[in-house]
Amino acid sequence: MRGNPEQPYTRGALCVKVNRYLEHTQADDRILYPLRRTGPKGSGEFERISWEEAFDEITVRLRNIIDEHGGEAIWPYVGTGSLGYIQGCEGVAGRRFWNMLGASKHWLNICATAGGAGLSLTNGTPAGMDPEHLALSRLILLWGTNTLTSGHHLWKFVQDARATGAYVVAIDPIRTRTADQADRHLAIRPGTDAVLALALLNVVLAEGTQDEEFLAEHTQGWESFREEILAYPVERAAEITGIPAADIRELGTRLAHTRPTAIRTTMGIQRHAGGGTALRTIAAIPGVTGDWRHPGGGVAYSTSGHVHLDIDKRDDLLAKPVRTLTMTRLASELDSVKCLWVYAANPVGSTPDANRIRRQLAREDLFTVVMEQFPTDTVDYADIVLPATMQTEHMDLHAGYGHLYLLWNEPAVAPPGECLSTAETFRRLAAHMGMTEPSLYDSDLELAEQLLSSGHPSLEGVTLDRLRKEGWVRMNYPQPFTPFAEGFPTASGRLRFPPRGKAYVPPHSLRTADGSPYPLTLVTPAAHTFLNTIFGNNPELRRRAKEPVVLVNPADAEARGLVSGQRVRVHNASGEFLADVEVSDRVAPGVVASPKGRWPKHSPGGANANAVVAERDADMGRGPAFHDNLVEVSPCAGP
Ligand SMILES: Nc1nc2c(c(=O)[nH]1)N[C@H]1C(S)=C(S)[C@@H](COP(=O)(O)OP(=O)(O)OC[C@H]3O[C@@H](n4cnc5c(=O)[nH]c(N)nc54)[C@H](O)[C@@H]3O)O[C@H]1N2
Ligand SMILES: Nc1nc2c(c(=O)[nH]1)N[C@H]1C(S)=C(S)[C@@H](COP(=O)(O)OP(=O)(O)OC[C@H]3O[C@@H](n4cnc5c(=O)[nH]c(N)nc54)[C@H](O)[C@@H]3O)O[C@H]1N2
Ligand SMILES: [Mo]
């Protein structure tokens, strides 16, 4: 297995994780057969059964639940384990099946909904510039994004820009490996990015370089937004953000005089109480500077807004409207659920309020089915486990998480053991249950054809034949691509500036830190060696990741008598996890950091960071607040 050097975005580079993918497909702990629980929930004790037995039991349980409690008592809980459009969450594999049963709908809000909502308020869409155009930028702000860890392919475009003199600034509470490589790092207080955005624009106005023509032609709400900007002079912003005024002024001056400026922002900023608003306000910046006019200017967030596959909601298969359950609210919304059906997700490791989730999953009246590749902590609570295929073994259609190509995934090998793909599992279960709706039985290739048939101009010339032959096809967008040079996909066709008083929502951490017994803000970003909880069981990656660490600033360490290497409890009212202290000025006083992605069962104390992440929403899209939790760090009792 190797990367294809001709692929324009990846240029053949694999990351440390996917480099081990083949080995991972053959791992000793791979689940190869259907399993039935034999021990108590949570014990992970199972016996092997046949698919026939598994489907028999599932059929009886589902029918009984539907009879007694209605279809909505079923929660099809699909996660981001695969972003495939046929087998994974992007096309919502299984949707037709669940619609036929009248199951609750599942809202996959765990990742990017707050940011998407914030950007859409401003631009009418979360989509923005082509990330490849970063190569053309003169000033690049890597804002709340750890490119070298969580999306390293983009780095080559940053390097290309640098080769022609671009200046790169990382804005992050942590001095990440990306910040190390940047020309400048601004260590912002978590959750205060909107204030920095306003202050940078304050400098732009002082320099008089706002693009009056762009403002007049393509924006709305400028007069009141201008007042908002003027309310945030650099000194005030320095107090709120913790960034020295001189540094804000310097960056503001660069922003004022550098076209094109690209802002790359991804998921980090939005995981705060005011995260949606932060992206809403950051998105206003190129509206003021006019950067959207230029290739290499604007905001690059996710490219998913440029993908217009027909994801076939098939809501015609629904007999009546059903409720929607929220992924990040698993701990509380499970109250009214009798069947939890987990696929491509690992909620015990990845979802807020892990201790409450465990208590829910231990309920005897809850029937839990997990489709999995590996014996995760979530699998341990399953009544029935169904063995799932991996990328090398199933067919899929993918879109980039940060580029404009569609990609075809042709299976390379037969599935091991009795593993089945998601789509095939639902086809066979439907047959077992005697369901007659013909579209439940569409093949993977038929599903792919349907996905490509939305008729959207971006898919013109993008055919299944080409995809299968060429492996990837760039969607039909112009080159260079300046999506908003002539206007925005809003009702008025204009960029909508945030109204007065709506440009900044303070983080939970700042609002509640005073007098709290938990004075430290915990940030839990992407780990270099894991992909969410995927690879959390890979021996070599675990060896490289070492024991879980928590970064603590020297001042905070001294105040608590903590030294590097010491095992500590990171705790709050929700729970605790254990980690080894790394005393480091990579975090500012008041901020501690510990990467996500550990399997709780492979962690000291049997818990990961989500034991202390509260089930609490960001301001928009009900997004989670993974980086906005207050904790205390205390020495472990005992020897
Ligand atoms: N290696 C690796 N790569 C991954 C993943 C992984 O688990 N591991 N996960 C994938 C997935 S699903 C996603 S969604 C993305 C997530 O990856 P990113 O979008 O990069 O998101 P995070 O890692 O959550 O946060 C990015 C950076 O934002 C910083 N940050 C946190 N709070 C704030 C804030 O208030 N302001 C600012 N300015 N910065 C802040 C964090 O310190 C972190 O360095 O990565 C994808 N890629
Ligand atoms: N503390 C903290 N927690 C976080 C975050 C954070 O920043 N901090 N980030 C959040 C983010 S961005 C995300 S996207 C979520 C991810 O959370 P989830 O969506 O729950 O994803 P994972 O934890 O990666 O678990 C995915 C599981 O799917 C399985 N899998 C992979 N491919 C397939 C397949 O084709 N079929 C089946 N059946 N299974 C498959 C894998 O083995 C893995 O166990 O985590 C969130 N959790
Ligand atoms: Mo994500």
Side-chain angles (χ1 to χ4, degrees), residues 111 271 401 532:
C111 183
R271 289 166 181 169
Y401 189 66
N532 300 321

Side-chain angles (χ1 to χ4, degrees), residues 340-343 345 368-372 376 378-379 381-387:
L340 179 70
W341 189 293
V342 179
Y343 50 124
T368 302
V369 178
V370 181
M371 296 161 77
E372 251 299 350
T376 63
T378 304
V379 163
Y381 288 88
D383 294 290
I384 299 282
V385 183
L386 301 177

Side-chain angles (χ1 to χ4, degrees), residues 30 32 389 393-394 413-421:
R30 182 90 192 261
L32 299 175
T389 47
E393 301 147 9
H394 60 226
V413 293
E418 294 180 4
C419 294
L420 291 182
S421 73

Side-chain angles (χ1 to χ4, degrees), residues 15-17 80 83 110-112 142-151 171-174 176 186 188-193 196 265-272 282 401 523-534 593 596-597 626-627:
C15 64
V16 283
K17 312 172 292 307
T80 61
L83 301 189
I110 202 161
C111 183
L142 300 173
W143 199 332
T145 187
N146 186 1
T147 305
L148 282 170
T149 281
S150 58
I171 304 167
D172 198 304
I174 309 174
T176 60
L186 301 186
I188 192 164
R189 185 168 288 141
T192 63
D193 300 271
L196 177 62
T265 183
T266 49
M267 312 313 161
I269 291 178
Q270 71 190 271
R271 289 166 181 169
H272 295 272
I282 287 171
Y401 189 66
V523 176
T524 64
H528 199 69
T529 46
F530 305 123
L531 175 57
N532 300 321
T533 66
I534 302 175
K596 68 175 169 180
F626 287 116
H627 305 335

Side-chain angles (χ1 to χ4, degrees), residues 62-83:
L62 288 183
R63 291 244 160 86
N64 287 344
I65 288 169
I66 293 169
D67 285 350
E68 261 182 65
H69 307 280
E72 285 174 306
I74 303 169
W75 187 347
Y77 186 98
V78 57
T80 61
S82 168
L83 301 189

Side-chain angles (χ1 to χ4, degrees), residues 86-87 393-397 408-411 444-445 468:
I86 298 175
Q87 314 294 353
E393 301 147 9
H394 60 226
M395 183 175 279
D396 217 336
L397 175 62
W408 184 252
N409 185 141
E410 189 79 22
D444 290 351
L445 285 174
R468 291 190 81 179

